[in-house]
Amino acid sequence: MDMLAVQLKQDGLCTVSDLARQHGVSERTIARDLLLMREQGLPIDSDRGRGGGVRLDRNWGVGRLNLSYAEAVDLLISIEVSEQMRSPMFLASLGSVRRQLVASFSPDKRNKVTRMKSRILIGDTASTYVQSGVAAPPKPVVQALHQAFMDQEMLAIGYRREDGVTSERQIEPHYLLLKYPVWYVVAFDHLRAATRVFRCDRILSARRTGTQFRLLPRDAFASSLDGNDLLV
């Protein structure tokens, strides 16, 4: 019902059949949920007749924000990155938001998130030359890298170097490095049997392998990170 409320507020007029198809339930289930939402006080209007639909008043709030664990982790890490970059704008309330997010985790997950945050490194701003050639990585690559990083899982990637040469690698994504606005993966590369830094937007494909790896200390990547003036 929370998802329905958000959708009805954003999309405007929706038909019951469209909502049923999008959420994989019957029209009867949608009709029942809409009735419950009305009983809870949500101002849901409906247009009768052929082609009619339902909508939620755009001036009405949808209640509390419900985040999954992964979404809360992403938001918390984004806040930490913003604070580490010492951006002077829009940071006044981030401390309160961070405390609320941390309080929502169990002690075990709180410790896990703290360890994960220590694996996010901030370096110098990327050069104008690098920024001119950066592109957004493909969404499937971002999703696989994100999950493998969180779970300390080895990743099989296709990678294209600056000179255009491509190769297949198996990497352990130990750290993520932001040289704004470019993200890098600081990894152990099994093809070279050495530490390497890979630019995320040059990763052509990424597949989780299901194989866990043991996290190496940052000192093990000193040669790869030399000269970055990092913050942790």
Side-chain angles (χ1 to χ4, degrees), residues 80-131:
E80 292 288 338
V81 169
S82 297
E83 291 184 327
Q84 287 181 37
M85 293 180 68
R86 299 184 177 91
S87 172
M89 296 294 289
F90 311 116
L91 295 181
S93 300
L94 288 188
S96 173
V97 175
R98 182 180 63 245
R99 286 191 293 273
Q100 292 180 63
L101 285 171
V102 171
S104 71
F105 298 140
S106 66
D108 180 61
K109 287 185 176 179
R110 198 174 305 159
N111 291 333
K112 183 178 179 181
V113 171
T114 299
R115 293 193 299 270
M116 196 181 310
K117 287 191 300 182
S118 70
R119 297 167 59 202
I120 307 289
L121 311 176
I122 309 297
D124 297 331
T125 300
S127 67
T128 303
Y129 171 76
V130 170
Q131 291 189 44

Side-chain angles (χ1 to χ4, degrees), residues 37-81:
M37 292 163 69
R38 286 191 180 98
E39 291 175 350
Q40 292 174 0
L42 288 177
I44 297 175
D45 299 323
S46 59
D47 294 334
R48 298 184 180 278
R50 187 178 181 86
V54 292
R55 65 168 67 86
L56 176 65
D57 187 338
R58 288 181 178 272
N59 295 318
W60 189 266
V62 296
R64 291 181 177 273
L65 181 64
N66 295 311
L67 298 176
S68 68
Y69 171 65
E71 290 170 336
V73 168
D74 283 354
L75 181 55
L76 181 59
I77 289 177
S78 296
I79 290 172
E80 292 288 338
V81 169

